[in-house]
Amino acid sequence: MISICLQVLIAWLYSHIAEYSIHRWILHKFAAKKGRLFSFHWRGHHRDVRLNDFVDRSYFGNPFKISSAGKELFSLFFLVVIHLPLVFYFPWAFSTLCLCIASYYYVHRRAHRDPAWACEKLHWHYEHHMALNQNANYGVRSDIIDRIARTRESAR
């Protein structure tokens, strides 16, 4: 029982650290230049959200279409695949990671389809896109890692 709880706790914490790290260092640093892998984050997602009052229209169409949302979904699927070996040694951790990835996609998609909900429930993510400094507030599901890393900037 302790092993299961430990697997779940570590995987949940790891998912938040990974979400923050991928967003900050891969999507905002490495992929910020045009033509790079994952440049869709800046060239598609951030641009569309700024132009449409936080709405990303790619979340309204086919999720498997080659769009910002489609590329994000493919990237999340890739994350599941690279963590697949965990299922043989730490099945509860793998299951937790899969739930966290699904939670991330649901929350991020809902936020960019319903800006009023995002502004109330995920104000740190709303501020990530709509404030002057888009290089802060990297957490989507939570701002806990931003607070620890001191990258949380509040407009409130």
Side-chain angles (χ1 to χ4, degrees):
M1 183 62 171
I2 293 175
S3 171
I4 292 172
C5 293
L6 203 54
Q7 284 185 52
V8 169
L9 179 65
I10 290 170
W12 179 84
L13 185 59
Y14 168 79
S15 76
H16 284 282
I17 294 168
E19 176 184 309
Y20 173 91
S21 300
I22 290 167
H23 196 179
R24 181 175 182 181
W25 289 297
I26 295 176
L27 301 178
H28 277 256
K29 296 285 187 229
F30 171 77
K33 292 184 180 176
K34 187 176 183 178
R36 286 194 171 171
L37 186 63
F38 303 115
S39 65
F40 69 87
H41 181 74
W42 268 110
R43 308 265 173 235
H45 180 60
H46 269 267
R47 181 197 64 222
D48 294 347
V49 168
R50 290 291 277 214
L51 292 173
N52 297 306
D53 295 322
F54 199 72
V55 172
D56 184 338
R57 295 177 189 204
S58 69
Y59 285 109
F60 287 93
N62 179 351
F64 300 104
K65 183 180 171 194
I66 308 289
S67 63
S68 294
K71 290 175 183 177
E72 178 183 48
L73 195 58
F74 178 78
S75 299
L76 295 174
F77 175 74
F78 178 72
L79 282 175
V80 170
V81 170
I82 65 171
H83 286 90
L84 199 53
L86 287 175
V87 79
F88 300 109
Y89 305 100
F90 305 106
W92 289 96
F94 178 76
S95 299
T96 301
L97 286 175
C98 289
L99 287 173
C100 289
I101 288 169
S103 170
Y104 165 85
Y105 185 72
Y106 170 79
V107 167
H108 195 228
R109 182 174 187 262
R110 179 164 181 195
H112 289 293
R113 289 174 60 120
D114 185 355
W117 179 82
C119 193
E120 179 187 343
K121 303 288 187 190
L122 303 172
H123 50 88
W124 55 88
H125 187 61
Y126 186 88
E127 292 165 0
H128 168 72
H129 284 284
M130 304 309 285
L132 289 176
N133 183 10
Q134 293 185 63
N135 286 311
N137 306 327
Y138 297 102
V140 174
R141 294 174 298 149
S142 169
D143 67 343
I144 188 69
I145 305 300
D146 280 300
R147 290 178 186 275
I148 293 167
R150 299 182 191 262
T151 53
R152 175 72 174 100
E153 290 184 10
S154 181
R156 294 179 177 206

